[in-house]
Amino acid sequence: MKKTLLIVTAIIASACSSDITSSGGGNSNEYVLLRKQVVTSPDGSVVTTQYSYDSNMLVTATHSDGTNETYTYTDDYITEIKHYESGVLVETETFTYTENGLASHVSNFYDLTNPSSNNAVKQEFSYNGYTVTINKFTVDNTGEETPAGSATMTLSSNGNILQYQSGSLTVNYGFDSNSSPMREIRGYQAIVLSEFEGGANNITTIQVDDSESIENSIHTYTYLANYPVTATYTDANGAIYSTAYTY
C-alpha cells in the first residue's frame, strides 16, 4: 500500500478519547496529551518527566535526572530531536519523509572531549503494505557510510509494531485495545518506527527470541477513560518497574 504509513498516522491522530480533559500549559482540550510521567525503578530510584506542547506538537521533554529533549516540526512531521545532558548537546536525531511515510532516521552522537570520535547511525525505511524494511548504516566523522545490517517490522492496521526481526533476533509484541499515552502527539509515529517499538495502543507482552533463548516480559495497566494512568512492567528477570501518567 503506497501510503500505508500516512494512513496509519491519520488513524492514530483521529482515533482518540474525549473523556480525559487535558491540563493547561498550552494544551487544547481537543487533545489528550501526556503532561507528566513518573517512573520508579526496582532499586527505588525515580525519574520524573515533564512534557510541554504547542497545540498537540511536542516541544520539550524535561527529565529529573538532568537530561532533556527539544523537538522541531516541519508542518505535521517531527524533523529533529536534540538531546541534552546537563545542558550539553549529546545527540541530534533527524527525520526525513516521503509520501509513503518515514524515509530515514539519523542519530548523530557528539563527544565534546574527543570530537574525532563523533559518529552517527542511519536507518532507511521502505514499505510493502504493513511490512517495513529497515536498512542500517554506521557513519564515521567524515560522513562515510558503512552498511550495518537490515531488519523488518510487521505493523497492525493502526500502526502497532507487532514484530521486529533482525538476523537471529525476533521480538514479538502484544497490545491492549486502549490508547497509548503518546497517541495524540502529532507526528509521534515516526519515533515509534525509529525505536522499533510501540504504536497506537499499549504494549502488554514482549517476547524476545535470539535463537538461543526466549525471554518474556509483561506490562499491566490501570485505565481512566481508555488511557493508562498507571503501568507495571515486569522484565524477564522478574524486576518490576512502575509508571504513573498524568494528562
Side-chain angles (χ1 to χ4, degrees), residues 24-75:
N27 282 354
S28 166
N29 288 340
E30 181 182 356
Y31 305 107
V32 178
L33 299 172
L34 182 64
R35 297 293 301 172
K36 182 171 75 172
Q37 175 179 281
V38 181
V39 179
T40 303
S41 297
D43 63 2
S45 61
V46 177
V47 176
T48 299
T49 302
Q50 303 277 357
Y51 299 92
S52 67
Y53 300 90
D54 178 3
S55 183
N56 67 331
M57 294 184 291
L58 184 56
V59 176
T60 62
T62 304
H63 314 282
S64 60
D65 61 1
T67 62
N68 67 284
E69 295 87 46
T70 62
Y71 297 79
T72 300
Y73 284 76
T74 301
D75 299 322

Side-chain angles (χ1 to χ4, degrees), residues 89-105:
L89 180 65
V90 294
E91 180 187 354
T92 299
E93 297 180 70
T94 57
F95 302 79
T96 65
Y97 301 86
T98 66
E99 63 178 3
N100 295 330
L102 179 64
S104 71
H105 169 254

Side-chain angles (χ1 to χ4, degrees), residues 192-213:
V192 169
L193 292 172
S194 69
E195 295 181 347
F196 314 138
E197 184 174 283
N201 305 116
N202 302 288
I203 294 172
T204 55
T205 59
I206 304 175
Q207 182 185 78
V208 180
D209 184 349
D210 65 0
S211 79
E212 295 183 358
S213 63

Side-chain angles (χ1 to χ4, degrees), residues 71-198:
Y71 297 79
T72 300
Y73 284 76
T74 301
D75 299 322
D76 290 332
Y77 302 98
I78 295 173
T79 50
E80 184 178 75
I81 305 173
K82 291 186 175 181
H83 299 256
Y84 298 86
E85 294 181 2
S86 300
V88 177
L89 180 65
V90 294
E91 180 187 354
T92 299
E93 297 180 70
T94 57
F95 302 79
T96 65
Y97 301 86
T98 66
E99 63 178 3
N100 295 330
L102 179 64
S104 71
H105 169 254
V106 179
S107 293
N108 293 279
F109 302 97
Y110 308 113
D111 185 346
L112 297 182
T113 61
N114 184 18
S116 64
S117 67
N118 291 352
N119 64 92
V121 176
K122 180 180 181 181
Q123 301 164 160
E124 295 180 340
F125 297 80
S126 59
Y127 306 93
N128 181 13
Y130 294 115
T131 299
V132 184
T133 299
I134 308 105
N135 290 312
K136 305 178 183 181
F137 305 85
T138 57
V139 186
D140 64 20
N141 65 335
T142 69
E144 182 177 353
E145 298 182 2
T146 302
S150 63
T152 59
M153 293 187 294
T154 302
L155 307 182
S156 68
S157 60
N158 67 341
N160 294 333
I161 297 177
L162 303 177
Q163 184 180 83
Y164 171 83
Q165 195 277 327
S166 181
S168 62
L169 175 68
T170 301
V171 184
N172 291 298
Y173 298 94
F175 289 83
D176 65 13
S177 59
N178 293 304
S179 296
S180 75
M182 304 298 194
R183 183 167 185 156
E184 293 192 50
I185 297 175
R186 190 182 305 180
Y188 201 81
Q189 179 70 359
I191 296 176
V192 169
L193 292 172
S194 69
E195 295 181 347
F196 314 138
E197 184 174 283

